Amino acid sequence: MRTEWTPQDLPGRAFYRMITAVVVPRPIAWVSTTSADGVDNLAPHSFFTIACADPAIVQFTSTGRKDSLRNAEATGEFVVNLASEPLWKEVNASGTAYPPEVDEFEALGIAREESAAVRPPRVAASPVALECTLHSTVGFGTSTVVFGRVVHVTVDDGVLGRDGLPEVERLRPLARLGRNEWSTLGEVRAVDRLPYTP
């Protein structure tokens, strides 16, 4: 037995809730931006992934016209900070719908640090920051996908392994699930890709 729906069966937010309960886990882009007036903004976006490796492009989706989108469009820059488990309270709190003139770093007491290549600041306690320039945006209904070219990466030495890459157990990334659920890393398995043998 299966229960089946179409988008017409679950109008409005109901189908959104269904889709976000199915497409899990979702990594979180903790996006920092600066408005044209110089106000810093920080907000989590759980529609986030890599769009291209060469050139390095990441993407996040703004559901509605949120400050992250408006600021990125106005200034052409943003930073994706890793949302890590020790920072879950701050990540969640920064999702509050503050008005555009409120600086979430100040409102929530989140320490910031200067970025190397873009104006928006980085989250000082985040182990990884991807500094981006705006590549393009694409609108879909009430959402906008924001594509950013990664121009600088900074990684805390404490999360690097012997091979020079970040180790996921040290990054301790957070992910969004359905409803109001979040997840942490859980079990990690190393599995090699199987070669084709005719």
Side-chain angles (χ1 to χ4, degrees), residues 22 34 105 145:
V22 170
T34 302
F105 286 95
V145 183

Side-chain angles (χ1 to χ4, degrees), residues 45 47 60-70 140 142-146:
H45 296 267
F47 295 179
F60 73 91
T61 298
S62 176
T63 54
R65 290 199 56 81
K66 296 180 179 174
D67 293 341
S68 301
L69 170 61
R70 286 192 294 268
F140 295 99
T142 59
S143 295
T144 303
V145 183
V146 180

Side-chain angles (χ1 to χ4, degrees), residues 42-53:
L42 182 64
H45 296 267
S46 69
F47 295 179
F48 166 58
T49 192
I50 298 169
C52 184

Side-chain angles (χ1 to χ4, degrees), residues 12-159:
R13 297 281 292 179
F15 202 74
Y16 167 87
R17 290 192 294 271
M18 175 61 68
I19 291 294
T20 56
V22 170
V23 182
V24 292
R26 298 187 310 280
I28 300 167
W30 202 13
V31 178
S32 52
T33 57
T34 302
S35 73
D37 295 329
V39 179
D40 291 334
N41 177 267
L42 182 64
H45 296 267
S46 69
F47 295 179
F48 166 58
T49 192
I50 298 169
C52 184
D54 185 17
I57 306 285
V58 294
Q59 68 182 70
F60 73 91
T61 298
S62 176
T63 54
R65 290 199 56 81
K66 296 180 179 174
D67 293 341
S68 301
L69 170 61
R70 286 192 294 268
N71 294 346
E73 288 178 330
T75 67
E77 297 178 331
F78 62 91
V79 178
V80 175
N81 305 275
L82 181 81
S84 61
E85 185 179 347
L87 299 170
W88 73 268
K89 289 182 181 179
E90 291 86 349
V91 176
N92 183 53
S94 67
T96 298
Y98 287 97
E101 64 273 12
V102 173
D103 178 330
E104 283 83 358
F105 286 95
E106 287 186 12
L108 301 171
I110 298 173
R112 73 191 102 198
E113 65 183 19
E114 187 176 344
S115 293
V118 297
R119 182 181 179 191
R122 305 186 297 227
V123 174
S126 176
V128 177
L130 308 176
E131 300 179 20
C132 302
T133 57
L134 182 65
H135 177 277
S136 57
T137 62
V138 179
F140 295 99
T142 59
S143 295
T144 303
V145 183
V146 180
F147 296 93
R149 184 164 188 158
V150 181
V151 295
H152 188 86
V153 179
T154 183
V155 181
D156 187 310
D157 290 344
V159 303

